[in-house]
């Protein structure tokens, strides 16, 4: 049995005071209950330390949204793996489609980041997904195959066990257009099959594959009940405690 993982990608939202409000709200909503899924929040860099302090003694885990693969040096504006570790981050989102398209990140660069994150003891949430044009031209599986094989190049089976894959169809991100549970399940099954062929059936069975793209409290349950959907990477709906808790409750 794979444990479901619900992660909130705050993107470029919430200053420090907004972070305090949102985390306080999520914690209050959970109360003394331990959710039966892993819950991760990924605030902006500037809020990581505040979030880390607020999350002490809570079941909620902390993640960052990006990272530079270099350890240190003249990389103005960048943040290293050990810097993330030092503020208490356990996870890091890598290869998000917004990073790929807006900041020109290649599969090779993302592969480098995954390796360096693992080396530093961070757990990568590795994002993949096709654009609308790619889906409509029937190349979805080719795109995902390229992203997975290049992103995971040189990654061992033991290392794969520390990686979460997030399938986020680009056309479903922030658009209100969710992939139907059947559409998402079809792709998740494909990704799991691909992991089985690249590694082993046992490794593929253990692999956590999240879905992301307009996940909301009212569609989460149906998506999460699909056989190969092991959680959600949530954007818009993670910015209010009530809707994020609604998705956690769907687990
Ligand atoms: P939305 O939930 O806003 O569509 O964003 C999804 C996403 O990009 C999470 O990483």
């Amino acid at each position: 049995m794979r444990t479901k993982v619900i992660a909130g990608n705050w993107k470029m939202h919430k200053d420090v005071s907004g972070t305090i409000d949102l985390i306080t709200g999520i914690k209050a909503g959970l109360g003394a209950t331990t959710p039966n899924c892993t819950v991760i929040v990924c605030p902006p860099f500037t809020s990581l330390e505040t979030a880390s302090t607020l999350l002490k003694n809570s079941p909620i885990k902390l993640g960052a949204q990006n990272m530079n693969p270099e350890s240190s040096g003249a990389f103005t504006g960048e943040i290293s793996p050990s810097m993330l570790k030092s503020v208490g981050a356990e996870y890091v989102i890598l290869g998000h489609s917004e990073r790929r398209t807006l900041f020109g990140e290649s599969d090779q660069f993302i592969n480098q980041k995954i390796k360096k994150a693992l080396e530093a003891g961070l757990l990568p949430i590795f994002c993949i997904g096709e654009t609308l044009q790619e889906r409509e031209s029937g190349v979805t599986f080719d795109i995902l195959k390229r992203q997975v094989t290049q992103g995971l190049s040189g990654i061992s089976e033991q290392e794969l066990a520390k990686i979460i894959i997030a399938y986020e169809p680009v056309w479903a991100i922030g658009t209100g257009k969710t992939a139907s549970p059947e559409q998402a399940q079809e792709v998740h099954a494909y990704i799991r099959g691909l992991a089985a062929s690249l590694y082993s059936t046992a490794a593929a069975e253990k692999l956590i594959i999240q879905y992301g793209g307009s996940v909301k409290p009212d569609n989460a349950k149906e998506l999460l009940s699909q056989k190969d959907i092991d959680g959600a990477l949530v954007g818009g709906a993670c910015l209010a405690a009530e809707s994020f808790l609604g998705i956690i409750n769907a687990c």
Side-chain angles (χ1 to χ4, degrees):
M1 265 300 274
R2 297 179 293 267
T3 310
K4 297 221 188 295
V5 181
I6 306 295
N9 175 7
W10 296 13
K11 307 192 180 182
M12 199 170 72
H13 295 284
K14 308 288 178 191
D15 57 13
V16 169
S17 87
T19 298
I20 297 171
D21 288 348
L22 181 50
I23 292 189
T24 307
I26 299 168
K27 278 170 60 178
L30 286 179
T33 56
T34 308
N36 61 357
C37 53
T38 302
V39 179
I40 309 166
V41 291
C42 304
F45 291 138
T46 46
S47 287
L48 285 172
E49 191 160 14
T50 304
S52 174
T53 306
L54 290 167
L55 293 177
K56 287 223 167 76
N57 304 318
S58 119
I60 305 167
K61 315 264 185 208
L62 184 63
Q65 299 172 20
N66 182 33
M67 184 201 84
N68 189 284
E70 297 295 335
S71 313
S72 63
F75 300 99
T76 302
E78 293 297 282
I79 302 282
S80 76
S82 66
M83 288 172 185
L84 295 182
K85 283 288 283 184
S86 75
V87 288
E90 283 182 70
Y91 293 83
V92 59
I93 298 171
L94 297 174
H96 191 280
S97 64
E98 287 148 20
R99 302 286 330 164
R100 291 177 188 262
T101 54
L102 303 173
F103 301 97
E105 292 193 6
S106 66
D107 293 309
Q108 287 71 24
F109 191 47
I110 295 159
N111 174 248
Q112 232 187 316
K113 290 188 183 200
I114 292 176
K115 288 178 174 161
K116 294 295 179 180
L118 290 167
E119 248 178 63
L122 290 162
L123 305 170
I125 300 177
F126 166 39
C127 302
I128 56 172
E130 82 287 2
T131 62
L132 183 60
Q133 196 201 358
E134 288 161 348
R135 176 160 282 260
E136 286 175 345
S137 40
V139 295
T140 297
F141 291 153
D142 302 321
I143 296 296
L144 296 172
K145 187 174 186 178
R146 189 206 75 218
Q147 291 175 340
V148 170
T149 49
Q150 298 192 10
L152 297 180
S153 165
I155 299 288
S156 70
E157 186 162 327
Q158 285 95 314
E159 288 171 324
L160 182 72
K162 297 184 179 145
I163 297 173
I164 293 172
I165 291 187
Y167 167 59
E168 298 202 307
V170 180
W171 48 272
I173 296 179
T175 57
K177 262 193 227 162
T178 326
S180 70
E182 296 73 27
Q183 265 176 332
Q185 166 55 30
E186 182 193 26
V187 174
H188 281 235
Y190 171 77
I191 298 165
R192 201 175 302 288
L194 188 57
S197 69
L198 293 170
Y199 294 92
S200 68
T201 310
E205 280 306 311
K206 284 187 226 136
L207 180 66
I208 305 287
I209 309 173
Q210 291 179 313
Y211 169 79
S214 299
V215 177
K216 306 277 180 264
D218 60 2
N219 61 22
K221 201 166 176 182
E222 217 188 339
L223 285 160
L224 293 170
S225 61
Q226 301 298 310
K227 187 170 157 280
D228 290 292
I229 301 186
D230 308 315
L233 183 55
V234 185
C238 79
L239 296 175
E242 198 188 344
S243 46
F244 193 51
L245 287 161
I247 297 169
I248 295 167
N249 286 335
C251 278

